[in-house]
Amino acid sequence: MLAKINSYGLAGLSGYKIDVEVDINLGLPGYDVVGLPDAAVKESKERVHSAIKNSLLTFPKHKITVNLAPANTKKEGPSFDLAIAVSILVASEQVKQKAASEYVMLGELGLDGKIKSVRGILPLLISAREKGYTKFIIPAENRPEASYITGVTVYAMENLSDVVSLLNGTKTFEAVKNRTWHIDNTYAAEDFSRVKGQHAVKRAMEIAVSGGHNILLSGPPGAGKTMLARCVPGILPDLTFEEALEITKIHSIAGVLDPDKGVVTSRPFRAPHHTATNVSLIGGGRDSKPGEVSLAHNGVLFLDEMPEYSRSCVEALRQPLEDGVVTVARASATYEYPANFILVASMNPCPCGNYGSKDLTCTCSMSQINKYLKKISGPILDRIDIKVDVDRVAFLDLTQESNEESSSEVKKRVDKAREIQRKRFEGTHVYCNAKMTSKQVKEFCKLDQTSEQLLKVAFERFNMSARGYTRILKVARTIADLDGEQNILPKHIAEAINYRTTEKN
Amino acid sequence: MYNKNELAILYLDKLELSYKKFGELLSSLESASEIFEKKGQDKLSLFAKPSAVEFLTRHSYEQIEEYVTKDLEKFNIFAVTICSSAYPEILKNISDPPYVLYTIGDISLLSRQKIGVVGTRKITTYGRDVANKFTRELSQAGLVTVSGLSYGVDTCCAKSTLEAGGKTIAVLAGGLDNIYPADNLALSQKIAKTGLLVSEYRPFVRPKQYSFLARNRIISGLSDGVLVVEAGRHSGATSTANFAIEQGRELFVVPGNINSPQSEGTNDLINEMPDCFTISTSQILTRLGVQTQTDQKTKTVQLDFFSQQIVDYLKNGEAHFDSICAALAVNASELSSALTMLEIMGVVNKNAGNYYSLAM
């Protein structure tokens, strides 16, 4: 007999429908999977066989043909196990076809019939829902992930025999309940109140986060660059549900989602080690998985000791920094992943780290220093709006009791500035000052005559490039927003100039 | 364009003779142009390879002229030989003057009064301040500055001279077709426009380790006086200072922090020769006999109360952003913007690590 069950496969961030068809013919007992299955799909034979047997059901002793349609796309992973097993049960008349065809089924089977979790449930459910499917059977472990999707009936099942009972109506099960979403702000590793001094750096970070600007911290080892960077999550603006879903989709596909939470509740802070490869950073691999830049989507990508990253890695950041998306092209498929993040980078001023320091002697030669600084190319520096020096805090300052502002206070100002920007860019795809197009810069960064004059003088004095001009305007816009000012004033321009990323030596 | 003598020297310079052989050959010839005749060519054959002589006999004067000047024209280089009228007299009286100076730019600068400015490549904030202040004031007083286009003090000297509208000469340690260090390529092009690039090496000669030392003798040799800003012990700058003493040039040394490795050389020099102790431009100008204009314009800037407070605080010396913040009880954004304003006005310098100091 012939049977057909709906399942879904992943292609990048969205899913596509797969029909799992099973035909049982007379003939020598056998099992064939067609429709471009990969090794994991082919191996389903053994899992499905044992799972059916161990669920006290009958595995038909006939010739079984499994077809995964459409037959021209490659099928990957074990997530079709459940659909294949149910399909076989339908074809051998142990389950009713009518009941089974209402559902989209996803899940990997264990030999004992247990249904194991699969990655990418959230994007799969979302894209299936868009196509009008409303009933799903998914692994029990993926229950939290599914609980945030409204308008669908999802059964999160423990094992195969439960699925059969559900489909045959011999037992009733409760569908996954919808959960309300809440933001989690308790995750910041460090708090500004624990960083002594460094007012200039803190202010720069506040501006960077408020306007979504990329920031580069430069200073000797032990100055506190990493600690300061780890404070950033604490001042990031609150996540909205839509943003959370976007992040969750990516994390779900990459398989890094916390299985208990089921959804990302805080902005990601990704800090890949400097030995990271291009693929791990940008995405790719055999199955074109998202990389760190996409995992940092709507959050922060922290590159500690940026010149230590391989040059090609850093250069590969150009597209995501510019467009907010990264296109991963591989032989099998080309996927586009969102990658909208704030880049927080840190670096030493020279290989030994002490160049320009007050109390330590640098042992590098000038050409070594220049070579080191050149590891970060101009185009990348051009995409970093804010650069700030971090110097060691003297011991005396460290021991002094001082009242430092906490991250939550800074966050309030950041939220306010973001709110202004949200209103400003309403109806466009831009959401923060750093992403303004040149047309928007013209529209929103109008300068009065004094500011214009100031900028002109500064330009000549500091040998700034034409690209630096827009950067300063954008940063000045953010500073004005933090001030709650409608117009950019000379003092905003002046402060923005202070964070310029030009001149060496 | 070049007369016979000049052309002869340029030809000989292409033969890669050692400095000593070149000198012996020149003194054995009645005049350099003798090599275009049989008698001179016999003498030449004692010093150079037979092929060098053969080339002269086989080719016409015009062909030789083209052979010699082809590369120079390609890079817009003008060669000043030791027998040219443009060759600076002051350079002739050193023990080993270069036979040819390859130049790009304004050669009239060679006859002006010049001051060499040398120092460490790894400049400190203090060194930068000193180098900028001295070169600015010296070039405003009408002196031409001479430096080596290297990193640090050399770069500061060239840049601040150009900024002050003065003239500067950069002496290179390799052919002028290939600027070393390459980072200063843009700077060298600026210098070529208003100042002068000089090298004793013809195009396509790469700088060698020893050529930097040899270059230093030209820096001091071209100059009436040499100013050492910041120098480590056994550095190129101290070697230039020694050349200056040998050549009888005035030596001016600016003292530095006794703890700083970049000041060991300068402090040693002052220790050995207390006369060279220099703390102001006027000392240099008096010793070199330069007429100083008394109507020196002192720039006055009107500052608001807050900026004045900052300036007053910085009078105690360099200070970190945080300490200014704490001392004046202001928030980071106000201070940051005020400091940048002051920086743009040229009142305050921003140094590495968020330190600020008053501009000199």
Side-chain angles (χ1 to χ4, degrees):
Chain A
M1 202 194 136
L2 186 68
K4 195 185 99 180
I5 299 290
N6 300 324
S7 188
Y8 252 74
L10 262 183
L13 266 191
S14 55
Y16 61 100
K17 195 194 156 213
I18 289 176
D19 291 330
V20 178
E21 298 169 343
V22 167
D23 193 17
I24 299 184
N25 292 309
L26 287 178
L28 281 176
Y31 181 96
D32 274 313
V33 187
V34 296
L36 296 183
D38 75 345
V41 181
K42 274 186 184 155
E43 284 169 356
S44 69
K45 174 191 174 184
E46 308 302 333
R47 292 192 296 270
V48 168
H49 186 202
S50 293
I52 291 180
K53 191 193 84 187
N54 291 331
S55 303
L56 302 180
L57 298 157
T58 320
F59 191 82
K61 290 192 182 68
H62 295 288
K63 179 171 167 45
I64 303 171
T65 310
V66 180
N67 178 33
L68 306 175
N72 61 348
T73 44
K74 277 196 171 164
K75 318 297 181 311
E76 284 165 353
S79 61
F80 310 113
D81 286 4
L82 180 63
I84 293 172
V86 173
S87 227
I88 290 171
L89 294 174
V90 171
S92 58
E93 294 174 15
Q94 300 174 68
V95 173
K96 287 171 199 148
Q97 168 76 63
K98 191 164 176 290
S101 51
E102 286 175 10
Y103 294 93
V104 171
M105 295 183 200
L106 300 159
E108 173 188 337
L109 284 176
L111 296 183
D112 54 353
K114 197 173 172 312
I115 305 176
K116 294 178 177 176
S117 69
V118 293
R119 60 185 179 91
I121 282 288
L122 189 89
L124 285 175
L125 292 195
I126 290 177
S127 44
R129 185 182 64 179
E130 279 167 12
K131 286 273 149 47
Y133 295 93
T134 53
K135 292 176 94 177
F136 299 89
I137 296 175
I138 63 163
E141 284 172 43
N142 290 112
R143 179 193 298 268
E145 220 176 313
S147 63
Y148 295 100
I149 302 173
T150 52
V152 289
T153 316
V154 180
Y155 292 95
M157 310 302 281
E158 287 286 348
N159 53 47
L160 182 59
S161 55
D162 281 354
V163 175
V164 174
S165 316
L166 171 80
L167 295 176
N168 287 340
T170 51
K171 239 163 125 185
T172 50
F173 292 90
E174 216 176 312
V176 174
K177 276 186 194 148
N178 266 316
R179 276 206 283 192
T180 45
W181 184 77
H182 62 277
I183 322 162
D184 178 11
N185 274 333
T186 56
Y187 64 97
E190 297 284 355
D191 194 285
F192 268 167
S193 60
R194 269 175 276 169
V195 181
K196 301 272 182 203
Q198 309 282 23
H199 300 298
V201 189
K202 287 180 186 170
R203 170 71 182 167
M205 295 189 120
E206 179 183 333
I207 296 166
V209 171
S210 301
H213 303 284
N214 300 317
I215 180 171
L216 175 65
L217 309 173
S218 160
K225 300 185 294 292
T226 312
M227 187 178 181
L228 280 159
R230 294 204 179 279
C231 291
V232 171
I235 60 169
L236 286 170
D238 287 338
L239 204 55
T240 63
F241 183 60
E242 284 69 34
E243 284 175 322
L245 274 192
E246 271 180 46
I247 304 169
T248 307
K249 267 188 184 179
I250 302 166
H251 284 221
S252 177
I253 290 164
V256 295
L257 199 62
D258 181 347
D260 295 331
K261 278 191 189 158
V263 71
V264 176
T265 51
S266 56
R267 291 190 183 269
F269 181 86
R270 306 293 300 185
H273 188 250
H274 59 69
T275 50
T277 59
N278 282 1
V279 169
S280 67
L281 207 59
I282 299 304
R286 199 176 45 85
D287 44 358
S288 299
K289 269 197 196 176
E292 289 291 339
V293 292
S294 299
L295 293 176
H297 178 57
N298 285 337
V300 171
L301 180 69
F302 175 44
L303 299 185
D304 205 357
E305 306 303 345
M306 198 177 186
E308 300 299 332
Y309 288 81
S310 80
R311 197 185 169 98
S312 66
C313 267
V314 178
E315 293 307 311
L317 292 177
R318 286 190 201 185
Q319 192 205 3
L321 283 177
E322 194 69 32
D323 308 335
V325 293
V326 58
T327 314
V328 181
R330 289 293 178 274
S332 56
T334 301
Y335 301 133
E336 196 168 83
Y337 293 115
N340 228 331
F341 54 86
I342 298 175
L343 176 68
V344 179
S346 80
M347 66 181 286
N348 291 333
C350 70
C352 85
N354 296 335
Y355 183 62
S357 167
K358 281 301 112 183
D359 37 28
L360 295 161
T361 317
C362 169
T363 54
C364 317
S365 75
M366 213 51 222
S367 58
Q368 274 178 312
I369 295 171
N370 278 339
K371 210 167 149 192
Y372 187 76
L373 294 179
K374 273 190 186 156
K375 280 190 175 179
I376 302 176
S377 68
I380 291 295
L381 278 181
D382 266 336
R383 287 163 173 83
I384 299 176
D385 295 338
I386 296 178
K387 187 197 161 205
V388 65
D389 280 355
V390 188
D391 202 49
R392 282 178 206 234
V393 177
F395 179 72
L396 199 71
D397 295 346
L398 280 179
T399 49
Q400 262 170 4
E401 272 303 317
S402 60
N403 233 343
E404 302 289 346
E405 205 176 20
S406 74
S407 288
S408 57
E409 282 167 66
V410 179
K411 188 174 171 299
K412 278 180 203 154
R413 293 199 295 270
V414 171
D415 283 339
K416 239 189 226 164
R418 278 281 174 127
E419 184 59 29
I420 296 173
Q421 294 170 55
R422 204 182 54 75
K423 279 186 189 142
R424 175 180 307 139
F425 301 123
E426 203 136 48
T428 64
H429 63 281
V430 173
Y431 62 94
C432 62
N433 290 334
K435 306 283 178 207
M436 274 193 277
T437 60
S438 50
K439 200 178 142 203
Q440 283 168 324
V441 170
K442 252 191 191 155
E443 190 183 340
F444 299 121
C445 304
K446 283 193 189 113
L447 297 184
D448 57 24
Q449 211 160 16
T450 346
S451 310
E452 194 85 58
Q453 187 59 32
L454 177 71
L455 200 50
K456 212 178 136 197
V457 176
F459 241 75
E460 279 158 17
R461 192 165 158 75
F462 301 129
N463 277 331
M464 288 191 283
S465 69
R467 285 204 237 194
Y469 183 81
T470 344
R471 285 210 302 270
I472 284 177
L473 284 184
K474 285 178 182 177
V475 175
R477 182 65 261 173
T478 306
I479 297 171
D481 288 345
L482 275 169
D483 241 10
E485 284 286 347
Q486 187 80 43
N487 298 316
I488 300 178
L489 302 178
K491 61 174 180 174
H492 303 139
I493 290 281
E495 196 181 347
I497 292 169
N498 205 8
Y499 304 120
R500 69 191 180 276
T501 51
T502 43
E503 105 280 25
K504 290 156 192 172
N505 81 65
Chain B
M1 191 176 173
Y2 298 105
N3 65 32
K4 247 183 166 181
N5 274 330
E6 288 171 334
L7 205 68
I9 290 184
L10 290 179
Y11 177 75
L12 293 178
D13 194 46
K14 276 184 96 107
L15 299 181
E16 294 179 2
L17 299 175
S18 71
Y19 185 84
K20 203 177 145 202
K21 274 189 176 178
F22 201 142
E24 283 170 9
L25 171 62
L26 276 186
S27 54
S28 72
L29 294 166
E30 275 165 35
S31 73
S33 58
E34 205 185 339
I35 59 160
F36 296 116
E37 290 152 27
K38 179 79 181 70
K39 210 169 99 198
Q41 282 161 7
D42 288 344
K43 288 177 190 163
L44 177 61
S45 61
L46 299 175
F47 294 94
K49 285 181 214 154
S51 59
V53 182
E54 210 174 301
F55 185 88
L56 288 174
T57 51
R58 285 239 182 123
H59 294 87
S60 69
Y61 182 77
E62 283 70 31
Q63 281 172 321
I64 297 169
E65 185 173 23
E66 199 206 327
Y67 167 73
V68 169
T69 56
K70 196 174 58 192
D71 291 340
L72 303 183
E73 277 162 14
K74 186 172 163 195
F75 297 107
N76 240 337
I77 294 171
F78 182 73
V80 178
T81 66
I82 196 157
C83 55
S84 312
S85 56
Y87 196 89
E89 283 302 318
I90 191 169
L91 191 56
K92 274 187 194 160
N93 64 27
I94 71 173
S95 61
D96 44 1
Y99 295 112
V100 188
L101 290 176
Y102 293 92
T103 67
I104 300 178
D106 178 8
I107 55 162
S108 71
L109 297 183
L110 290 174
S111 55
R112 297 251 307 257
Q113 201 166 20
K114 297 176 283 295
I115 175 101
V117 181
V118 295
T120 179
R121 267 167 296 179
K122 252 168 76 179
I123 195 164
T124 64
T125 318
Y126 166 74
R128 192 188 337 271
D129 281 349
V130 170
N132 285 339
K133 176 186 152 71
F134 274 81
T135 39
R136 191 177 59 234
E137 289 175 5
L138 289 170
S139 55
Q140 275 163 357
L143 286 174
V144 174
T145 57
V146 184
S147 63
L149 199 70
S150 187
Y151 299 110
V153 171
D154 288 1
T155 304
C156 273
C157 165
K159 274 190 181 162
S160 48
T161 307
L162 291 177
E163 271 168 29
K167 307 280 182 188
T168 188
I169 298 177
V171 185
L172 283 99
L176 293 180
D177 61 310
N178 178 44
I179 300 299
Y180 180 91
D183 293 77
N184 279 341
L185 181 64
L187 182 60
S188 76
Q189 286 161 348
K190 271 189 209 161
I191 295 173
K193 268 182 205 153
T194 61
L196 185 68
L197 299 174
V198 174
S199 171
E200 67 170 314
Y201 301 97
R202 62 185 186 285
F204 306 118
V205 176
R206 295 279 164 273
K208 306 265 168 40
Q209 270 182 328
Y210 59 79
S211 50
F212 290 92
L213 273 180
R215 176 269 306 268
N216 291 345
R217 84 177 197 283
I218 304 180
I219 294 183
S220 57
L222 274 176
S223 312
D224 302 277
V226 171
L227 170 71
V228 189
V229 172
E230 242 190 350
R233 218 165 257 159
H234 312 299
S235 64
T238 48
S239 92
T240 315
N242 289 331
F243 279 126
I245 297 163
E246 271 173 36
Q247 296 162 355
R249 304 289 187 258
E250 293 281 353
L251 185 64
F252 307 97
V253 183
V254 183
N257 187 336
I258 54 168
N259 291 326
S260 159
Q262 275 94 328
S263 291
E264 281 174 357
T266 41
N267 288 342
D268 281 356
L269 283 170
I270 292 172
N271 193 24
E272 288 161 21
M273 293 166 289
D275 272 357
C276 63
F277 178 79
T278 307
I279 48 171
S280 78
T281 330
S282 57
Q283 282 174 290
I284 301 175
L285 296 175
T286 324
R287 288 247 294 271
L288 292 181
V290 179
Q291 292 290 319
T292 46
Q293 294 133 337
T294 41
D295 58 324
Q296 270 194 339
K297 273 186 279 173
T298 43
K299 257 201 301 186
T300 47
V301 245
Q302 194 61 46
L303 298 177
D304 59 50
F305 178 69
F306 179 44
S307 304
Q308 191 58 52
Q309 269 188 314
I310 298 174
V311 171
D312 287 344
Y313 184 76
L314 287 177
K315 277 183 183 154
N316 302 326
E318 194 181 46
H320 192 267
F321 187 90
D322 286 355
S323 51
I324 311 175
C325 241
L328 304 182
V330 285
N331 67 32
S333 70
E334 276 176 57
L335 182 60
S336 177
S337 107
L339 279 170
T340 318
M341 294 278 203
L342 286 171
E343 203 190 344
I344 293 168
M345 287 191 268
V347 179
V348 159
N349 279 347
K350 183 185 185 181
N351 308 328
N354 280 320
Y355 280 85
Y356 290 84
S357 61
L358 283 184
M360 283 177 118

